[in-house]
Amino acid sequence: MTLTQKFATRADRMKASEIRELLKLLDQPDIISFAGGIPDPGLFPVARFQQAMTDALSDGRHAQSLQYSTSEGYLPLRDWIAGEMGKLGIACTPDNILITSGSQQALDYLGKLFLSPGDTALVGWPTYLGALGAFNAYEPQFDRLDANANRSAGDYADTAAQNGGQVKLAYLSVDFANPTGATLARHERENVLDLAEQLDCAVIEDAAYQALRYDGDAIPPILALELARKGDIELCRTIYCGSFSKTLSPGLRVGWVCAAQVVISQLVLEKQAGDLHTPTLNQMAVAAVAADGFDAHVAQVRAVYKTRRDRMLAALKRHMPDGVDWTRPEGGMFIWLTLPPALDGATLLDQAITTERVAFVPGAAFYADGSGRNTLRLSFSNSAAADIDTGIERLGRVIRKALQG
Ligand SMILES: Cc1ncc(COP(=O)(O)O)c(C=O)c1O
C-alpha cells in the first residue's frame, strides 16, 4: 500500500498527542492519574442539561434544534456571550461572536486563516500542546514568545524572514495556562500587545481556563487592554477564544471566538466549509443552562478545584525532594514541576507507571523545540483528596529513587 506516500506534506508534521495516547493506558483502576487535564464529571450540571435538552426538543422546537442552522451560531447564545464579554471590559455585539465546536476548532481555523507554510507563530515555551498541533498542520515555524520584552520586534521579524515568512500571530493563554498554571501579569499582557503592534500580527488569546480563578485579583484579558487603548473592537488585533468546556461540559463541544467582524466573517466562511455549524441542540442547551445560574455553577466548580489545588500543593511540599520546584497557580487545573536537570520526564513516567502506579504528562511535549525534558504536568481537577495525597507520595518516591540513580 503506497497511500502513505500520497499524504500531503502537512501529514508528516501531525503526531499523535502524547496525552491522548497516554489516557488510553490509564484505565486500570489501580493507577492514580494526574495526566488528563479534564473536568470532574461529578460537577457537570446534568439535571439542568437534561431539562434543557428536553425543552429544546418539545413543543415544536425540534424544527430548530434538530435542523441545520447558521454558521455564526445560535443567536441567543451569542447574545449571552456578548454580555459576558462586556463584563470583562470587552464591549461587543453578537456580530463579534462566532460559536465554534470547542475552542480547539477556533485554534485550527485561526491557524488556517493566518499561517502560510514558513510563516512564524510565536508561542510560549512551553505552551498548550493542542495549539501546537492545530497550528502545525499549516506548516509554520515556531518561535519563542517572550512576554518580558527582552527581545525586539526587529529580531523576531528578522528570524521569521530567515525562515521564509513573517510573524503572523502570537498565541498565549494569559490565565492559569495549560500546562504551567501560570498567569501573565498586566504589564506582561501590555508587553505582548506592544510587540504585536510592532510586528503588526494577530494576538490569539486562549481563555479556556479564564473563569476558574481561585484566588488573587482578576487581570483584564489582552483584548480588554487593547480595547481600552483603541476604543473599538473593530480596531483590535486580539482574537479571544472562549470555551464552555471547563465550566459546563467539554463533551458538548461549544466554544466561541470574540473578535473584530473582519476576522469573524472570514472564520464564518471557514466554518461553512468545515462543519457548517456547531450542533444546534448543544448550543440551545448551553444557552439555556448558561442563562440560568451560570455564575453560581462556576462558583461551585471553583470551590471544588480550589480545595484540590490546595491539597496537591500541600502534598508536594510534604513529599518532593530538594531540587524539585513547582508552580503555585491561582486557578485552572495544572501544577507544573521542574525536576533537577539530570532527570527525564518520559523515563520517569515509565518508572512511575510500572513501579508506583502513578501517572502525569512529561513536559517535553509542550515545547515546540522538544526541550523541557526535566519538566512534567500534574492535573488536580479530577482527583479525590485521598488520591492526591497517595499519588503525590508515590511520585515523590519515584523521583527520589531516580535521583539516587
Ligand atoms: C489551553 C487550552 N485551550 C483550548 C483547549 C480546547 O478546549 P475545548 O476545545 O474543549 O474548548 C484546551 C483543552 O484542554 C486547553 O487546555
Side-chain angles (χ1 to χ4, degrees), residues 138-353:
Y138 303 103
E139 304 178 79
Q141 301 289 322
F142 291 105
D143 199 353
R144 184 178 194 161
L145 175 63
D146 170 31
N148 287 310
N150 288 324
R151 231 179 113 186
S152 71
D155 188 43
Y156 278 114
D158 288 348
T159 308
Q162 279 158 22
N163 286 321
Q166 299 170 34
V167 178
K168 291 287 187 67
L169 61 90
Y171 164 83
L172 74 169
S173 207
V174 292
D175 292 306
F176 337 120
N178 179 1
T180 60
T183 295
L184 249 63
R186 186 180 179 126
H187 73 273
E188 292 172 316
R189 299 175 193 217
E190 300 277 10
N191 287 343
V192 170
L193 207 43
D194 290 341
L195 179 66
E197 288 291 337
Q198 288 159 25
L199 287 166
D200 194 18
C201 71
V203 176
I204 299 178
E205 176 169 36
D206 184 332
Y209 298 92
Q210 193 259 330
L212 299 183
R213 176 175 279 284
Y214 314 136
D215 39 42
D217 293 329
I219 306 169
I222 297 186
L223 180 52
L225 295 173
E226 187 176 13
L227 240 163
R229 290 184 186 187
K230 297 181 177 166
D232 183 351
I233 192 170
E234 302 308 333
L235 304 175
C236 289
R237 62 179 67 253
T238 304
I239 300 163
Y240 179 105
C241 303
S243 177
F244 289 102
S245 291
K246 317 299 175 181
T247 49
L248 294 182
S249 152
L252 291 174
R253 309 306 302 131
V254 182
W256 71 93
V257 177
C258 176
Q261 282 182 51
V262 280
V263 174
I264 295 293
S265 53
Q266 197 64 36
L267 292 175
V268 167
L269 298 179
E270 286 189 45
K271 183 94 179 144
Q272 279 165 6
D275 66 352
L276 298 179
H277 62 80
T278 295
T280 320
L281 181 60
N282 295 6
Q283 294 189 65
M284 290 174 79
V286 166
V289 171
D292 181 19
F294 182 76
D295 289 346
H297 176 72
V298 176
Q300 250 176 22
V301 173
R302 280 200 302 257
V304 172
Y305 292 167
K306 177 187 192 309
T307 310
R308 292 178 182 169
R309 177 206 59 180
D310 292 345
R311 190 98 183 192
M312 189 173 272
L313 286 173
L316 286 164
K317 203 167 165 193
R318 278 199 305 280
H319 298 298
M320 285 303 127
D322 285 348
V324 177
D325 205 1
W326 57 92
T327 54
R328 287 155 188 81
E330 292 184 332
M333 297 183 171
F334 306 108
I335 296 175
W336 181 247
L337 261 65
T338 305
L339 309 168
L343 295 192
D344 178 282
T347 313
L348 199 70
L349 176 63
D350 203 22
Q351 294 158 353
I353 290 182

